[in-house]
Amino acid sequence: MADRDSLPLPLEVRARLAELELELSEGDITQKGYEKKRSKLLKAYLPHTPGAERRIPVTPSSSSSSSSRYQRRRSTGTRDERYRSDVHSEAVQAALERHSERKMAVLLPSKRQSLIGQTSMDTYTPPDSSSGSDAEGSLGRAGGVSMDSWISRALHGSPSTSSSSSSHSNSSANAKYYSIKICFPVFTIVRICICSIIVYMCVGVPVSSRVSAKIQQLVNTLKRPKRRPLREFFVEDFEELLEVQQPDPSLPRPEGAESTPIQGEELNGLKNCPSSLEAALLRWGAIAPKAPCLTTTHSNAKQPYTLTYGKLWSKSLKLAYNLLHKLGSKQEPIIHPGDRVALVYPNNDPAAFMVAFYGCLLAEVVPVPIEVPLTKKDAGSQQIGFLLGSCGVAVALTSDACHKGLPKSASGDVMQFKGWPKLLWVLTDSKHLSKPPREWFPLIKDANNDTAYIEYKTCKDGSVLGITVTRMAMLTHCQTLKHTCGYSEAETMVNVLDFKKGIGLWHSIQTSVLNMLHVVSVPYALMKVNPLSWIQKVCQYKAKVVCVKSRDLHWALMAYKEQSDTNMSSLRMLLIADGSNPWSISSCDAFLKVFQSMGLRSEVICPCAGSPEALTVAVRRPQEGSSKPAGRGVLSMTNLSHGVIRVDTGEKLSVLALQDVGTAMPGAMVCVVKLEGVPQLCKTDEIGEICVSSVATGTSYYGLTGMSKNTFEVCPMACDSGLVSDCVFVRSGLLGFVGPGEMIFISGTLEGLMQVGGRKHNADDIIATALAVEPMKFIYRGRTVVFSVNVLYDERIVLVAEQRPDSTEEESYQWMSRVLQAIDGIHQVGVYCLALVPANTLPKTPLGGIHLSETKQLFLEGALHPCSILMCPHSCITNLPKPRQKQPEVGPASVMVGNLVAGKRMAQASGRDLSHMEDNEQFLFLSEVLQWRAQTTPDHILYTLINTRGAIGSSLTCLQLHKRAEKIATLLYERGQLQDGDHVALVYSPGLDLIAAFYGCLYAGCIPITVRPPHPQNISTTLPTVKMILEVSRSVCVMTTQAISKLLKSRDASVAVDFKSWPPILETDDLPKRRCPLLYKPCDPDSLAYLDFSVSTTGILAGVKMSHNATSALCRSVKLQCELYPSREVAVCLDPYCGLGFVLWCLCSVYAGQQSVLISPMDLEVNPALWLQSVSQFKVRDTFCSYSVMELCIRSLSSLTDSLKARGMDLTRVRSCVVVAEERPRVALTQSFCKLFKDVGLHPRAVSTAFGCRVNLAICLQGTSGPDPTTVYVDMRALRHDRVRLVERGSPHSLPLMESGKILPGVRIIIANPETKGPIGDSHLGEIWVHSPQNASGYFTVLGEENVRSDHFGARLSFGDTQTVWARTGYLGFLRRTDLTDASGERHDALYVVGALDEVMELRGMKYHPIDIETSIIRAHRNITECAAFTWTNLLVVVVELDGSEQEALDLVPMVTNVVLEEHYLIVGVVVVVDTGVIPINSRGEKQRMHLRDGFLADQLDPIYVAYNM
């Protein structure tokens, strides 16, 4: 055993060992891991003894000296102490301990391996971990907490997490979905509804998959009790929302007396003070021209440059002359006194800025200092441009070096920045200026109320305002600072702050000239290289005053090493610019503790508070030799969130320590007013906004009179409604109170205030809590922001941070979960979203911090591109509507009587009668009709098939179809040896072969079943579906073409389905030459004609029986509705395998005699314009399509309408364009289609929809005559309660519903309650029941068990007309009597389909339709091309297709969650981001949500990202 003290170990190895011991003590590493790493480090230095034990004993106490040295060095160097506070850190640890007892688990998202690989270390460059800015400085967290105290409070344990996401492989099991081509994928659980039998087919689906296990874990997590919500529910009606909520009597309230304004001391000792800053500059330039005014230091090796007062005066004088006399001409100068000019200077050139500033003052021009635009897309640059435009700025002053660095156009001029006015760039270097004549001298005026300069301010929403400061206010402000800070002539000041605005401008540019100070400027670039540079300058120049931020104290602590030459005894004032930040107190204490032994005195530290509107509000005075302690208070953070001040005893951990920022400024009056309502004085124990009445304040927002009045002309009122003072006050934007001794305490700012659930939280406090969570090795501390977004009538907290590239996903999510727990435990508020983005991707401010408003805008636009995200809506959203309570059951008779008493009409309607008979209608069977037409009109063309080139591919006359059908019947008799009633599967591509085969089966007495052929490129997925239909339908024979027969016998097909299991296959390419001697004639009209197998929108494959009588009635009804005759031509672009598409493709032309122009939807993928070109070419008046065809035309032809019109496309003759669907009409899609093809003659009135379902293939169809289709707007919230309430277009929560076509002749419709089966009124939503001779006979059954599902075809009302037999469609809808009249002169009854009953999602006691949620989601983000919503275990699951890069996948998670909350009051449980084309779609373009759900639960979607909202 070797002890490491006795080993000659290098210093870096000893340091690494000490770090390992520290990690072990903090719980960041296990005992086993510690021993393993320690042994690996010492392995090379141990003497090798054969047979000896190589393991090193764990002796943390060994090498105590080196360990303690390392820990001491680490505690002052590498820990980010500016975010530390003893009390607050203890509170965070205690909160995490409480949460660890609950063992809350965080579900890691499922992420595709390619997405994980894109966040490698090589992809990003880490930002400067010590970067800081104004924004960062305001978030300064310091702490004098030693490492030992942190070790004693180390965390133990971490929340359990689920297993990390595994990679998804692209195998055959993860087959893609194909729209149009494939009805449903084979890997899903296919539910085939055949009467009462549901056949489940599961190919390789595990019983318990990873996704379903994670969802179950999420469900278990959400079942845990949460804290009591603030309100039980909110009322949905907006008018009732305006009602004032009754306050909770248990909430803390202010109990003190009314506060009174405090008056600052008088401003004395100004006898010899210059009358203006220009006069002061003239005085010092004449009296002490060689006195140093400003010394500029550089980050490189350049020598410091010193600007004397003489040089400042001469250069300013020269610039003033050139501004007034050398720009433009003598007759028309560009600049006049009072004009505004922009000052564009970098942060490392204060001398040039100072010359420009005083040159403008001498020329009586108003300077507007702004930041240097480095790129065309700088964060906030556009808003700066708006400010310059509103100020009328036409000239920008800059230096030669800065001008060279500005982005240039191709011509060499400065680029025109977005939103900026056109500027004339003027270089202020002496070599570019003309020397003024000796007789020219500016007029030095006394300070007046003219505008001196405009200081810009960035608001919370990103807008930029310009605060005007008059010359009198500027002078008075400098005088008050001189009086308060005790400035004397020739003192040296070190300035680290931004000299273009705020405290840096007020002290280092303005007050310094008034008092002839020597300012040593330390730029931000030098601070990044050498954080101790400002301390070195203090020692070098023996400076009396230093202007810094708490971040600078922290950086100095990090970089400081014990040096004997450090002496800070010359300092009499260490001005902390962000002393108003509550968390700066820790920085001050830690800095004082380290540097007190080097001459730093406690009374030197002087925090101050200020704002652009009120200028300096308060400064703690430097008191030489004073033993008076600074004012401090430990306040309860819980009470502060209610705006109440309660001093905590220190025993509780949820506290906030504050320090005073001094008293009111000389000559000023300060009061505290309430945040809301009229400016009424707060009570003494109440937090309010600090208001200042003084000459030394801003006067207005430039060009914004209304906002200026509300901010700069405030008249505080007492509780008796009387004015507090005759003076007007200015709102400072600072939150705080006046404590004992009239000391002012600041607790936050209005800009960082977030009001969540009636409680107020400060963004700085949330960040401090987040950064107190250990370990912090996953994110950059200085790159963290917190803001709030409005979601569902309240603000929600969002935390964004930049993640280190070497962090693993699991580690990041563990840290994120601990942050959520800590914030919940400390602040009792939930974080809505916590996002980690890659390093160096957030928008930056000019000084390197994060641009808050730009980051928020990126989040709201879905352009943040996070690499890890955690949404917690379940814990944050506590104001959801109250769940609907089901009322006691009311009988159907009571409902009917109630409707009659209320004067409401019962919801029932019918089409016209089928009384008129024509020649062909004397035949009961389609086979007889075809024979009759072959005899009477043998040469009449029934069908014309269009090929992909738009030409006629083939056609069939009546006689040709008859003869071909006879030959096919002969084939069935001779080769197939089939008998009457045998089932034959027709596996054909869309074309004329399918039609001939169908009628051949009728001639032979066989029952045809049309089946979609397998897709050659995806045969492994589609072929088992074909085989399954054949088995279920009991097909004894397959008829197909030779090409498809070869495909079925191919090797790839044999892998999916054994060829030996197929029934006999008959190829119809080579038919017998002789015809059938005897054609079959059915004896019973109610006998089976064919089987219709279709996939519904709920994913159920159902086979229904269509009798000869129903088939003839259906064809006759369609003929009458569409006025189909032999002289008409109809274009059909539908899949011919089921439903109304099959009827229009195969049946109607034979029955009605019209010529059908057939276009295969599959050919549109090759030629998207094929359908519309055929309609135009054949001058068709009536055409039928599906939504998938319409979408394809919009997607492919949106940019080609002009060329189509030029090629002669004309759709003016189209009078009826019917979309065949089995769902709610898609209003937006049809409107887009009409708008797109309006230029080629398509009239919007021509586009309509049809509705059919399994029980009745055609219930509604617009037809050619009758009223135009109507669109109504209903209240979406009422639909959730099965109520129909019409609203105006554009009303909140309005939902457009288009009529589903006119009710077909012979069809009766009634709306019934699906549960009670009773009739309901037209103001209710119910199930659509239909009674018609064209109803299907029932579900086809294998075992003959029809009684279970006979209710679908043999339903009866429980009250009223109980004798009529109805068929239940399974779709919800309502009837509405319109003001239009039909052909009979009666008012028209319109049917509106809302959605499928099986797809209705019941959440929180209310009913939701997936299409409503999906419509909202598609609008949420530009990269969402399609989406689908379904439920699983009471969780709402949303699947979205991403049309973009995989890095954008996580942007969709908050966008989807937000929009569903806002519009539907639902929380999305799981968000799944997939590739385009994954959501399955049937032949009619309808989504197969149940198949998608089964594929998701089986973990076979290969998602890009799966987010589990907590």
Side-chain angles (χ1 to χ4, degrees):
M1 300 290 182
D3 189 18
R4 91 164 179 249
D5 282 341
S6 61
L7 296 177
L9 299 178
L11 292 178
E12 58 270 15
V13 176
R14 291 181 175 271
R16 180 56 184 155
L17 288 173
E19 187 175 5
L20 282 177
E21 293 173 2
L22 183 61
E23 290 179 355
L24 177 65
S25 63
E26 289 185 338
D28 291 341
I29 191 173
T30 62
Q31 183 78 20
K32 185 177 180 180
Y34 168 79
E35 294 177 4
K36 183 177 180 180
K37 291 185 178 181
R38 188 171 184 271
S39 301
K40 187 176 181 180
L41 281 174
L42 298 180
K43 182 178 181 181
Y45 304 98
L46 287 176
H48 178 67
T49 304
E53 180 65 45
R54 299 300 302 270
R55 183 178 297 274
I56 306 299
V58 181
T59 56
S61 60
S62 62
S63 187
S64 59
S65 60
S66 63
S67 174
S68 61
R69 282 198 305 272
Y70 180 78
Q71 292 183 23
R72 201 164 47 241
R73 184 168 65 252
R74 180 185 172 101
S75 64
T76 58
T78 60
R79 303 287 287 209
D80 197 346
E81 299 297 334
R82 68 188 170 116
Y83 295 106
R84 301 294 182 185
S85 168
D86 282 335
V87 178
H88 192 65
S89 299
E90 292 176 0
V92 171
Q93 308 310 319
L96 291 177
E97 289 293 340
R98 290 195 298 268
H99 278 274
S100 64
E101 296 174 0
R102 306 180 193 175
K103 300 183 184 297
M104 291 188 64
V106 173
L107 285 86
L108 289 181
S110 299
K111 186 181 294 186
R112 184 178 290 174
Q113 191 67 29
S114 60
L115 189 61
I116 299 175
Q118 290 165 357
T119 58
S120 64
M121 291 184 64
D122 299 333
T123 310
Y124 312 108
T125 56
D128 182 12
S129 60
S130 62
S131 63
S133 70
D134 297 340
E136 184 184 347
S138 65
L139 305 178
R141 314 291 192 259
V145 187
S146 64
M147 184 55 60
D148 296 334
S149 62
W150 276 98
I151 294 176
S152 64
R153 294 196 299 272
L155 292 174
H156 298 285
S158 61
S160 60
T161 59
S162 61
S163 61
S164 60
S165 60
S166 63
S167 62
H168 300 272
S169 61
N170 293 323
S171 62
S172 60
N174 295 330
K176 296 290 183 183
Y177 292 90
Y178 288 85
S179 61
I180 302 177
K181 299 186 182 68
I182 305 171
C183 282
F184 41 81
V186 71
F187 61 72
T188 57
I189 303 175
V190 181
R191 297 171 295 161
I192 305 173
C193 172
I194 304 160
C195 188
S196 63
I197 301 175
I198 300 180
V199 182
Y200 285 87
M201 175 179 171
C202 182
V203 181
V205 177
V207 177
S208 178
S209 62
R210 182 175 74 250
V211 175
S212 58
K214 282 191 175 183
I215 298 179
Q216 190 59 49
Q217 186 179 358
L218 177 60
V219 173
N220 297 336
T221 302
L222 299 179
K223 286 180 180 178
R224 295 189 179 94
K226 298 187 297 183
R227 59 178 179 274
R228 182 180 63 85
L230 299 177
R231 304 190 194 94
E232 184 180 6
F233 67 96
F234 72 88
V235 185
E236 292 182 350
D237 292 333
F238 182 72
E239 292 79 6
E240 299 185 25
L241 276 175
L242 298 179
E243 295 182 2
V244 179
Q245 298 289 336
Q246 295 298 325
D248 189 350
S250 62
L251 296 179
R253 296 182 179 180
E255 301 173 354
E258 186 179 63
S259 62
T260 57
I262 59 174
Q263 181 70 51
E265 57 187 309
E266 293 185 4
L267 189 59
N268 298 321
L270 303 177
K271 294 181 180 180
N272 297 324
C273 185
S275 58
S276 64
L277 288 186
E278 303 95 296
L281 179 58
L282 175 61
R283 173 189 295 182
W284 308 130
I287 297 177
K290 293 187 179 182
C293 173
L294 177 67
T295 298
T296 303
T297 56
H298 302 277
S299 57
N300 49 24
K302 291 175 61 177
Q303 290 295 325
Y305 169 74
T306 300
L307 177 69
T308 63
Y309 278 94
K311 290 181 181 179
L312 176 60
W313 166 254
S314 62
K315 290 185 176 184
S316 302
L317 189 68
K318 190 176 184 180
L319 177 60
Y321 172 77
N322 281 265
L323 289 177
L324 295 176
H325 299 89
K326 292 300 180 179
L327 298 181
S329 61
K330 293 184 178 180
Q331 292 76 17
E332 295 182 0
I334 295 179
I335 296 180
H336 302 83
D339 289 348
R340 277 74 54 196
V341 297
L343 268 57
V344 186
Y345 292 90
N347 293 310
N348 59 357
D349 196 359
F353 173 83
M354 197 170 192
V355 170
F357 185 84
Y358 282 97
C360 291
L361 292 184
L362 292 175
E364 299 185 30
V365 176
V366 179
V368 185
I370 61 172
E371 303 296 342
V372 178
L374 300 178
T375 63
K376 193 174 182 180
K377 297 182 179 180
D378 275 356
S381 175
Q382 185 174 356
Q383 297 295 332
I384 292 290
F386 292 159
L387 172 66
L388 298 180
S390 63
C391 293
V393 174
V395 175
L397 307 183
T398 187
S399 63
D400 194 7
C402 180
H403 186 266
K404 291 179 181 178
L406 294 175
K408 305 291 194 306
S409 61
S411 61
D413 299 329
V414 177
M415 185 179 296
Q416 181 67 30
F417 300 101
K418 185 178 181 181
W420 283 45
K422 190 174 182 180
L423 298 177
L424 172 65
W425 293 87
V426 177
L427 303 183
T428 59
D429 299 81
S430 295
K431 61 182 179 180
H432 299 289
L433 302 178
S434 301
K435 188 176 181 180
R438 293 184 177 181
E439 64 273 9
W440 187 85
F441 195 83
L443 179 63
I444 305 298
K445 298 181 180 179
D446 293 344
N448 52 28
N449 289 327
D450 294 340
T451 301
Y453 68 98
I454 297 176
E455 180 176 339
Y456 82 90
K457 166 194 173 183
T458 303
C459 299
K460 188 176 183 179
D461 58 357
S463 59
V464 175
L465 305 177
I467 294 96
T468 60
V469 180
T470 64
R471 293 174 177 266
M472 179 58 71
M474 179 175 64
L475 176 65
T476 308
H477 185 226
C478 294
Q479 292 172 347
T480 57
L481 291 179
K482 174 184 178 180
H483 182 274
T484 305
C485 301
Y487 289 132
S488 59
E489 296 179 7
E491 272 190 334
T492 301
M493 170 196 296
V494 175
N495 177 51
V496 190
L497 307 177
D498 184 5
F499 52 80
K500 295 189 292 294
K501 61 179 181 178
I503 295 177
L505 173 66
W506 305 335
H507 287 262
S508 66
I509 302 297
Q510 298 173 358
T511 308
S512 62
V513 172
L514 184 69
N515 297 276
M516 204 184 78
L517 301 180
H518 176 205
V519 179
V520 180
S521 180
V522 181
Y524 168 70
L526 180 58
M527 287 291 294
K528 291 179 64 176
V529 177
N530 181 13
L532 290 172
S533 56
W534 68 274
I535 296 181
Q536 295 170 356
K537 299 303 178 185
V538 169
C539 301
Q540 177 183 351
Y541 291 94
K542 293 183 172 50
K544 298 290 186 180
V545 180
V546 181
C547 297
V548 295
K549 282 190 174 183
S550 57
R551 66 148 192 238
D552 305 315
L553 305 182
H554 158 68
W555 287 355
L557 286 173
M558 288 180 60
Y560 177 73
K561 298 178 181 178
E562 296 183 4
Q563 298 175 354
S564 58
D565 57 344
T566 302
N567 186 359
M568 304 184 69
S569 59
S570 63
L571 275 183
R572 65 172 186 84
M573 186 176 189
L574 180 60
L575 190 69
I576 312 298
D578 59 342
S580 58
N581 183 354
W583 302 98
S584 65
I585 184 173
S586 303
S587 296
C588 299
D589 293 344
F591 188 82
L592 178 62
K593 183 177 181 181
V594 173
F595 289 93
Q596 195 167 15
S597 60
M598 298 157 204
L600 183 66
R601 303 181 302 276
S602 60
E603 63 271 12
V604 168
I605 297 179
C606 301
C608 68
S611 70
E613 293 86 355
L615 304 185
T616 302
V617 175
V619 180
R620 186 189 294 174
R621 275 69 164 173
Q623 299 176 353
E624 297 288 343
S626 174
S627 59
K628 181 181 178 181
R632 296 198 175 189
V634 180
L635 307 181
S636 168
M637 200 176 294
T638 303
N639 289 278
L640 283 177
S641 66
H642 295 283
V644 179
I645 303 168
R646 292 289 182 269
V647 177
D648 202 289
T649 58
E651 299 175 358
K652 297 180 180 179
L653 297 177
S654 182
V655 295
L656 180 67
L658 299 180
Q659 64 177 343
D660 75 288
V661 292
T663 58
M665 298 295 288
M669 186 184 301
V670 176
C671 68
V672 185
V673 300
K674 296 181 180 295
L675 301 180
E676 294 92 6
V678 297
Q680 185 178 351
L681 289 178
C682 292
K683 295 184 178 180
T684 54
D685 59 345
E686 184 179 4
I687 295 291
E689 183 178 5
I690 306 294
C691 294
V692 179
S693 176
S694 172
V695 178
T697 60
T699 55
S700 66
Y701 294 125
Y702 188 89
L704 302 174
T705 307
M707 291 184 62
S708 299
K709 186 174 182 63
N710 295 332
T711 302
F712 296 93
E713 300 179 16
V714 179
C715 299
M717 302 175 63
C719 59
D720 56 358
S721 300
L723 294 177
V724 173
S725 172
D726 296 335
C727 303
V728 294
F729 285 73
V730 176
R731 293 183 179 269
S732 66
L734 301 176
L735 305 180
F737 60 95
V738 178
E742 296 186 344
M743 291 187 294
I744 298 175
F745 291 82
I746 305 298
S747 61
T749 63
L750 274 177
E751 294 294 323
L753 190 66
M754 302 177 296
Q755 188 161 347
V756 183
R759 297 174 58 200
K760 301 177 181 65
H761 303 275
N762 198 290
D764 294 347
D765 302 341
I766 302 295
I767 291 182
T769 301
L771 298 185
V773 176
E774 293 292 335
M776 277 300 301
K777 58 184 178 181
F778 310 120
I779 68 167
Y780 295 100
R781 289 182 179 271
R783 310 284 295 163
T784 306
V785 291
V786 168
F787 53 86
S788 63
V789 294
N790 284 313
V791 179
L792 200 63
Y793 305 108
D794 203 353
E795 293 186 35
R796 315 294 175 186
I797 298 176
V798 178
L799 192 151
V800 181
E802 287 190 353
Q803 182 180 6
R804 295 183 183 272
D806 54 346
S807 303
T808 64
E809 183 183 12
E810 186 171 0
E811 290 174 336
S812 298
Y813 274 91
Q814 284 186 0
W815 179 82
M816 292 164 73
S817 67
R818 292 162 67 81
V819 169
L820 298 176
Q821 296 166 6
I823 294 175
D824 181 79
I826 297 296
H827 305 277
Q828 289 81 48
V829 66
V831 176
Y832 178 67
C833 177
L834 202 161
L836 301 182
V837 300
N840 276 336
T841 56
L842 290 179
K844 296 181 180 180
T845 59
L847 291 184
I850 296 180
H851 199 287
L852 179 62
S853 60
E854 289 283 332
T855 303
K856 179 178 178 179
Q857 189 64 28
L858 290 176
F859 176 82
L860 294 176
E861 293 175 355
L864 196 59
H865 307 331
C867 54
S868 300
I869 193 167
L870 188 59
M871 300 286 298
C872 302
H874 289 94
S875 60
C876 295
I877 309 299
T878 57
N879 61 333
L880 286 173
K882 187 177 181 180
R884 178 189 178 191
Q885 302 294 332
K886 289 190 175 182
Q887 301 297 328
E889 292 296 336
V890 179
S894 302
V895 173
M896 184 174 181
V897 172
N899 286 320
L900 294 176
V901 171
K904 297 179 180 179
R905 191 178 66 91
M906 301 307 296
Q908 56 184 348
S910 61
R912 53 179 170 159
D913 296 333
L914 288 172
S915 57
H916 181 66
M917 295 288 291
E918 295 186 4
D919 294 338
N920 65 315
E921 294 173 0
Q922 61 183 328
F923 302 107
L924 297 177
F925 309 105
L926 279 177
S927 57
E928 295 180 340
V929 176
L930 178 58
Q931 297 173 40
W932 172 74
R933 291 197 180 278
Q935 294 175 2
T936 57
T937 56
D939 297 328
H940 177 67
I941 299 177
L942 288 178
Y943 298 100
T944 301
L945 183 66
I946 306 299
N947 58 25
T948 55
R949 296 186 301 272
I952 297 177
S954 58
S955 61
L956 278 178
T957 63
C958 298
L959 184 59
Q960 289 172 343
L961 178 59
H962 169 68
K963 289 184 177 181
R964 194 168 179 181
E966 284 185 323
K967 294 179 180 180
I968 292 177
T970 303
L971 177 68
L972 292 174
Y973 280 137
E974 294 180 353
R975 299 183 188 176
Q977 302 294 322
L978 301 185
Q979 300 178 357
D980 299 347
D982 285 344
H983 294 185
V984 179
L986 309 182
V987 185
Y988 290 91
S989 300
L992 302 183
D993 291 336
L994 176 63
I995 301 173
F998 177 81
Y999 285 100
C1001 290
L1002 294 186
Y1003 280 2
C1006 298
I1007 310 300
I1009 300 105
T1010 54
V1011 182
R1012 182 190 306 275
H1015 196 280
Q1017 298 177 357
N1018 198 18
I1019 194 169
S1020 62
T1021 300
T1022 56
L1023 187 60
T1025 303
V1026 178
K1027 183 64 169 57
M1028 181 174 49
I1029 296 178
L1030 265 60
E1031 292 177 350
V1032 174
S1033 63
R1034 283 187 16 182
S1035 298
V1036 298
C1037 176
V1038 176
M1039 275 205 305
T1040 184
T1041 61
Q1042 186 178 6
I1044 297 178
S1045 177
K1046 289 182 178 179
L1047 180 63
L1048 298 179
K1049 300 174 184 178
S1050 64
R1051 180 179 300 178
D1052 294 337
S1054 301
V1055 174
V1057 177
D1058 186 8
F1059 178 73
K1060 297 179 181 179
S1061 62
W1062 289 98
I1065 298 178
L1066 300 179
E1067 299 175 2
T1068 57
D1069 297 87
D1070 187 14
L1071 296 175
K1073 294 183 179 180
R1074 65 187 186 90
R1075 61 180 184 178
C1076 183
L1078 180 63
L1079 299 182
Y1080 175 80
K1081 181 178 180 180
C1083 58
D1084 185 6
D1086 293 328
S1087 61
L1088 187 61
Y1090 70 96
L1091 290 178
D1092 187 291
F1093 275 86
S1094 64
V1095 181
S1096 68
T1097 56
T1098 56
I1100 296 179
L1101 177 65
V1104 296
K1105 299 182 293 184
M1106 289 296 295
S1107 66
H1108 289 280
N1109 192 15
T1111 304
S1112 300
L1114 177 59
C1115 293
R1116 183 183 178 196
S1117 182
V1118 173
K1119 172 187 175 181
L1120 294 177
Q1121 190 81 342
C1122 298
E1123 299 181 2
L1124 301 178
Y1125 301 102
S1127 59
R1128 296 286 173 83
E1129 292 180 343
V1130 175
V1132 180
C1133 188
L1134 294 167
D1135 273 337
Y1137 300 109
C1138 60
L1140 187 56
F1142 169 75
V1143 173
L1144 293 170
W1145 189 282
C1146 295
L1147 308 183
C1148 282
S1149 286
V1150 172
Y1151 187 88
Q1154 85 279 2
Q1155 179 182 355
S1156 293
V1157 180
L1158 306 179
I1159 304 105
S1160 172
M1162 298 177 64
D1163 293 340
L1164 263 66
E1165 297 184 357
V1166 180
N1167 183 6
L1170 178 62
W1171 168 50
L1172 295 179
Q1173 285 177 344
S1174 302
V1175 171
S1176 174
Q1177 176 184 351
F1178 289 91
K1179 301 179 181 180
V1180 172
R1181 301 180 64 185
D1182 304 303
T1183 181
F1184 297 86
C1185 69
S1186 63
Y1187 281 123
S1188 58
V1189 171
M1190 191 172 280
E1191 283 181 328
L1192 182 62
C1193 291
I1194 294 175
R1195 183 173 61 252
S1196 303
L1197 305 177
S1198 58
S1199 60
L1200 303 176
T1201 52
D1202 293 337
S1203 62
L1204 293 175
K1205 187 176 182 180
R1207 284 186 285 174
M1209 179 180 288
D1210 184 13
L1211 303 180
T1212 55
R1213 294 180 179 86
V1214 177
R1215 64 173 182 176
S1216 177
C1217 177
V1218 181
V1219 186
V1220 177
E1222 192 177 323
E1223 60 175 322
R1224 179 200 299 179
R1226 305 185 194 177
V1227 180
L1229 182 61
T1230 54
Q1231 289 178 351
S1232 300
F1233 183 79
C1234 295
K1235 185 177 180 181
L1236 178 61
F1237 296 102
K1238 177 182 177 182
D1239 294 337
V1240 292
L1242 182 64
H1243 198 282
R1245 294 174 54 186
V1247 181
S1248 60
T1249 61
F1251 173 66
C1253 61
R1254 292 189 301 270
V1255 300
N1256 192 318
L1257 303 183
I1259 300 174
C1260 296
L1261 198 154
Q1262 180 62 32
T1264 55
S1265 62
D1268 295 334
T1270 58
T1271 300
V1272 298
Y1273 294 85
V1274 299
D1275 190 344
M1276 198 172 357
R1277 298 170 299 179
L1279 285 181
R1280 298 169 190 159
H1281 301 274
D1282 294 334
R1283 299 297 177 94
V1284 178
R1285 184 172 67 182
L1286 298 185
V1287 295
E1288 295 294 331
R1289 179 180 180 180
S1291 300
H1293 303 280
S1294 63
L1295 173 68
L1297 292 177
M1298 189 167 67
E1299 180 184 355
S1300 297
K1302 303 299 180 289
I1303 301 175
L1304 285 172
V1307 176
R1308 290 177 56 194
I1309 289 176
I1310 192 169
I1311 307 299
N1313 189 312
E1315 298 177 359
T1316 63
K1317 300 182 181 179
I1320 58 178
D1322 57 4
S1323 62
H1324 287 70
L1325 184 67
E1327 185 182 7
I1328 303 170
W1329 289 13
V1330 59
H1331 172 76
S1332 171
Q1334 65 196 48
N1335 283 0
S1337 304
Y1339 287 115
F1340 175 72
T1341 176
V1342 178
L1343 304 178
E1345 300 178 1
E1346 295 185 355
N1347 55 339
V1348 178
R1349 289 191 177 267
S1350 61
D1351 182 58
H1352 281 199
F1353 296 90
R1356 298 178 186 271
L1357 293 174
S1358 60
F1359 188 82
D1361 183 9
T1362 59
Q1363 301 302 318
T1364 304
V1365 178
W1366 303 86
R1368 301 181 61 174
T1369 64
Y1371 283 84
L1372 296 175
F1374 62 92
L1375 284 167
R1376 180 67 59 173
R1377 175 156 288 183
T1378 65
D1379 295 332
L1380 306 176
T1381 55
D1382 53 21
S1384 61
E1386 297 181 357
R1387 293 178 62 185
H1388 168 62
D1389 292 318
L1391 174 66
Y1392 299 92
V1393 178
V1394 177
L1397 182 62
D1398 292 342
E1399 285 188 338
V1400 172
M1401 303 180 297
E1402 188 164 350
L1403 297 167
R1404 299 179 58 81
M1406 292 172 283
K1407 297 178 180 178
Y1408 293 86
H1409 299 272
I1411 188 174
D1412 298 329
I1413 298 176
E1414 292 161 2
T1415 302
S1416 302
I1417 293 173
I1418 289 178
R1419 297 196 309 262
H1421 198 276
R1422 62 185 180 277
N1423 288 342
I1424 298 178
T1425 58
E1426 191 57 88
C1427 68
F1430 53 84
T1431 56
W1432 191 77
T1433 61
N1434 294 325
L1435 280 180
L1436 178 61
V1437 182
V1438 172
V1439 180
V1440 293
E1441 291 183 354
L1442 171 66
D1443 182 17
S1445 62
E1446 293 183 352
Q1447 292 93 332
E1448 301 174 357
L1450 278 70
D1451 287 321
L1452 307 184
V1453 178
M1455 303 299 290
V1456 170
T1457 307
N1458 291 353
V1459 73
V1460 176
L1461 268 170
E1462 287 280 1
E1463 299 187 12
H1464 303 280
Y1465 309 147
L1466 289 177
I1467 296 177
V1468 180
V1470 184
V1471 180
V1472 186
V1473 184
V1474 297
D1475 296 309
T1476 56
V1478 170
I1479 297 177
I1481 297 176
N1482 64 11
S1483 60
R1484 295 181 298 273
E1486 299 160 349
K1487 301 172 189 174
Q1488 304 292 283
R1489 299 180 181 90
M1490 297 303 107
H1491 289 323
L1492 180 67
R1493 184 191 69 175
D1494 297 337
F1496 166 69
L1497 297 178
D1499 197 20
Q1500 294 173 335
L1501 297 184
D1502 186 25
I1504 301 174
Y1505 191 83
V1506 182
Y1508 304 92
N1509 290 341
M1510 300 298 295

